[in-house]
Amino acid sequence: MLKLTFSIVLAFAFSVSAKPAERIIALAPHIVENLYAIGAGERIVGTVAYADYPEAAKQLPQIGDYQGISVEKILALKPDLIIAWKNASHAPMLEKLESFGVDVIYSEAKYLDKLPDELLRLGKITGLGSQAQQQADLFTKRLDELKAQYEQSASLAVFYQLWPSPLMTVGGESWLQQVFNVCNVKNVFADATTDYPQISIENVLLKSPQVIVISEEKSEQDRESIKWQQWPSVPAVKHKQYISVDADLLHRYSYRMLEGISDLCGKLNVSRAHYKTMKVEHDNVE
């Protein structure tokens, strides 16, 4: 299903030698992107399916996917470090690799504004601290600019369609929820008890969102689409306020997420303008 890399604080669970890592296996697309961002892309000797950015990453050997990895292929690549996302399906294989003496560290995301910390820690283990610092500073600066740009904007009630079948959204303490805060909009499922709840169409109808955001994700699976036009009583449907976003930008905990956030906030601002115009016209009629 989704290959979400929903983590924010990079927690290193194992000590790593002071010697910079030279042969790295990166077990998530966002880890690959962040390594390239700090100039360590050439040190990656293996990765997983969907690690497709930048273009050079498509040429890297793949040793598995979200559901599993090959211990044999990894050992054959002779890595001195594995950087993994905390994925339950990978856990048994990673434990076996550790028993063979391979160093493993973990990436775990929870806070949007902590991504610079991940870049800095990657810089530390690769010996590329100055490049990592530069990218971290740029990320912080741009994120602060986006927050300032929209902090005074009128709020909107937004439904985020994470996946159509089963229908899933975001809420709770997910870092995607924090993206809505940057855009200064209200996620109608912000009070969900889980970060990525499965919901029903009826749940959405009761929330009456003003905007429906639909994530578009690359997948080998056929995705069912929801014909929201069937429910014209929903404000988003009535006013045709649908927004499509690139999941590769928003769902990966990488420096590129700023592109996705900027795109989402900009499109939501267009919806704001629509509702503002509707209100002015309504007030004029009265």
Side-chain angles (χ1 to χ4, degrees):
M1 189 183 287
L2 295 172
K3 304 149 299 289
L4 303 177
T5 56
F6 300 124
S7 45
I8 251 193
V9 176
L10 185 66
F12 293 133
F14 297 89
S15 61
V16 182
S17 168
K19 181 181 178 181
E22 296 291 342
R23 296 182 61 79
I24 301 171
I25 287 184
L27 296 182
H30 77 282
I31 299 171
V32 171
E33 292 189 17
N34 287 333
L35 285 168
Y36 270 101
I38 66 168
E42 292 183 357
R43 305 195 192 183
I44 304 173
V45 296
T47 186
V48 288
Y50 297 102
D52 54 9
Y53 188 89
E55 191 68 24
K58 296 178 180 179
Q59 306 306 315
L60 295 171
Q62 293 187 359
I63 49 74
D65 55 25
Y66 177 76
Q67 297 181 330
I69 53 177
S70 169
V71 171
E72 293 75 15
K73 288 182 179 180
I74 289 175
L75 291 175
L77 291 169
K78 299 179 179 179
D80 52 29
L81 178 65
I82 294 174
I83 307 177
W85 172 47
K86 289 207 170 183
N87 177 345
S89 62
H90 288 177
M93 285 78 80
L94 291 173
E95 290 175 6
K96 182 178 290 188
L97 287 162
E98 289 180 78
S99 72
F100 292 142
V102 181
D103 281 319
V104 181
I105 63 175
Y106 292 91
S107 170
E108 192 176 353
K110 292 191 181 297
Y111 304 100
L112 178 61
D113 59 1
K114 294 298 182 181
L115 183 131
D117 290 347
E118 174 156 319
L119 296 173
L120 293 174
R121 288 166 179 159
L122 291 178
K124 183 176 181 179
I125 64 175
T126 58
L128 297 170
S130 60
Q131 295 95 317
Q133 185 69 62
Q134 182 180 31
Q135 291 300 319
D137 290 345
L138 286 172
F139 184 93
T140 298
K141 178 177 182 293
R142 181 58 180 140
L143 182 60
D144 287 344
E145 289 173 348
L146 284 169
K147 290 178 180 178
Q149 182 176 352
Y150 295 103
E151 64 182 353
Q152 300 300 323
S153 300
S155 187
L156 287 170
V158 176
F159 166 61
Y160 192 90
Q161 180 183 302
L162 186 65
W163 195 257
S165 182
L167 184 57
M168 296 176 65
T169 188
V170 300
E173 297 181 356
S174 67
W175 64 264
L176 278 173
Q177 168 60 37
Q178 298 161 43
V179 170
F180 293 119
N181 296 336
V182 175
C183 299
N184 196 27
V185 295
K186 177 187 176 184
N187 172 15
V188 295
F189 288 100
D191 59 354
T193 56
T194 59
D195 290 352
Y196 307 104
Q198 183 173 326
I199 57 174
S200 68
I201 294 289
E202 289 72 20
N203 294 145
V204 179
L205 302 183
L206 288 171
K207 295 290 187 178
S208 296
Q210 294 172 285
V211 182
I212 295 175
V213 180
I214 301 171
S215 66
E216 300 291 345
E217 182 166 347
K218 298 173 187 174
S219 175
E220 295 176 357
Q221 305 175 29
D222 291 332
R223 297 184 62 176
E224 295 181 18
S225 60
I226 298 176
K227 307 299 183 184
W228 290 108
Q229 296 83 354
Q230 300 175 64
W231 298 282
S233 62
V234 176
V237 177
K238 179 181 178 180
H239 296 285
K240 299 180 181 179
Q241 294 302 301
Y242 309 103
I243 293 174
S244 294
V245 293
D246 186 342
D248 284 352
L249 294 178
L250 278 175
H251 295 176
R252 294 183 183 181
Y253 186 60
S254 81
Y255 74 103
R256 279 204 308 155
M257 75 171 75
L258 286 178
E259 296 177 40
I261 296 172
S262 179
D263 176 66
L264 173 61
C265 291
K267 289 175 177 177
L268 287 169
N269 221 28
V270 173
S271 291
R272 277 194 186 93
H274 169 81
Y275 282 108
K276 183 178 181 180
T277 299
M278 294 294 297
K279 182 179 185 304
V280 169
E281 291 178 353
H282 178 268
D283 290 345
N284 288 341
V285 169
E286 290 185 344

